[in-house]
Amino acid sequence: AMPLVKTQDALAALDSVLVASADAETVKFLLDSAKAKLWRHAYIDPKEAREQAASFSGDVYSTLVRDRFLAEFDEANALELPSGYSFRPNPGGPVVPPNLMQRRVAVSVRNERRYGNWSGMGAGKTLSAIVATRVVGATLTVICCPNAVVDNWADEIGGAFPASEVAKKTWHPQWQDPLETKPRYLVLNYEQFQQPDSERELVAFLDRNVVDFIVVDEIHYAKQREAGAEMSKRKRLVQGLILEAGKKA
């Protein structure tokens, strides 16, 4: 694991590294990198990270990062839980609210309409995506994932928001609620995108449905391609799903 950089050190380093002659792309990279370090500290010790940021006084770049981080931190902390939330890690145990990372993902998706969550294994990425779908009020969410975790997605959706309807591994989901009052989730394994009729099925599905939210889990699985192909059929159709859904949004 990478060593943890404290918030005060990450901000102080910004002022010493950045020079007026740095080009815009370099400055943006350094600012984003510094903010990521602040968030890594916050996930480990939120109280200390926020206190160090709030008390830091520096030059223009470190102040910019500090202010952005504090605004994001406070918005994530203040996030109201979506109605119906009932995630219980242990059956019969108490409801456990989303952690800071999961709240931040939801807020980022609400504000920016997209988010790349590169947190490590076991950090709660699945729940972060599910919570985000409810924060933005998605009616139909499509989840693209490896076959091995299809059932895990379905179980976690049902555990976090029991009122949801979940369908798996089909382009023809049968929903029980015709009025669309319940959130709907379609969990597709990547193999659904590489069958001989996948393209036709995808086009027909998008004609019948408005997709509000798409999750691409373990994105490297979408890139597997046949010998000689410039782009895998999986990747091409997953990209098509995202682009076409975006046009209706």
Side-chain angles (χ1 to χ4, degrees), residues 26-47:
T26 303
V27 170
K28 183 181 185 308
F29 170 79
L30 290 168
L31 296 182
D32 289 345
S33 176
K35 184 154 69 82
K37 289 172 184 167
L38 269 58
W39 272 110
R40 276 199 291 276
H41 185 194
Y43 293 157
I44 302 295
D45 191 336
K47 185 171 182 288

Side-chain angles (χ1 to χ4, degrees), residues 119-131:
S119 302
M121 187 178 293
K125 293 191 295 296
T126 301
L127 182 61
S128 76
I130 298 166
V131 170

Side-chain angles (χ1 to χ4, degrees), residues 33-213:
S33 176
K35 184 154 69 82
K37 289 172 184 167
L38 269 58
W39 272 110
R40 276 199 291 276
H41 185 194
Y43 293 157
I44 302 295
D45 191 336
K47 185 171 182 288
E48 182 181 63
R50 198 199 181 286
E51 285 175 353
Q52 289 186 6
S55 63
F56 186 86
S57 180
D59 290 341
V60 60
Y61 289 121
S62 59
T63 300
L64 186 63
V65 170
R66 180 201 67 191
D67 291 349
R68 285 177 180 171
F69 167 73
L70 287 172
E72 291 177 11
F73 183 100
D74 291 344
E75 191 176 3
N77 239 3
L79 180 72
E80 287 188 24
L81 288 186
S83 64
Y85 177 86
S86 63
F87 177 69
R88 291 177 170 84
N90 302 307
V95 171
V96 174
N99 62 30
L100 182 60
M101 178 274 285
Q102 292 159 343
R103 289 169 178 271
R104 183 199 176 197
V105 169
V107 165
S108 297
V109 170
R110 183 176 66 191
N111 293 347
E112 300 161 30
R113 292 172 53 86
R114 69 191 67 188
Y115 188 81
N117 190 349
W118 315 113
S119 302
M121 187 178 293
K125 293 191 295 296
T126 301
L127 182 61
S128 76
I130 298 166
V131 170
T133 67
R134 305 292 4 105
V135 167
V136 300
T139 299
L140 174 58
T141 297
V142 175
I143 295 153
C144 311
C145 65
N147 191 52
V149 296
V150 167
D151 289 339
N152 179 64
W153 270 100
D155 291 345
E156 198 141 348
I157 292 163
F161 294 96
S164 306
E165 287 199 71
V166 183
K168 301 183 291 187
K169 297 162 69 163
T170 176
W171 290 111
H172 302 273
Q174 302 295 312
W175 307 113
Q176 303 303 311
D177 175 21
L179 298 178
E180 298 186 26
T181 57
K182 297 179 179 179
R184 294 174 171 180
Y185 294 85
L186 175 60
V187 188
L188 295 172
N189 54 319
Y190 285 115
E191 288 77 8
Q192 292 287 333
F193 293 89
Q194 65 183 58
Q195 305 307 314
D197 61 350
S198 290
E199 191 158 359
R200 178 172 54 81
E201 289 280 26
L202 171 60
V203 170
F205 174 79
L206 289 170
D207 279 345
R208 297 190 304 269
N209 296 278
V210 175
V211 179
D212 303 302
F213 199 111

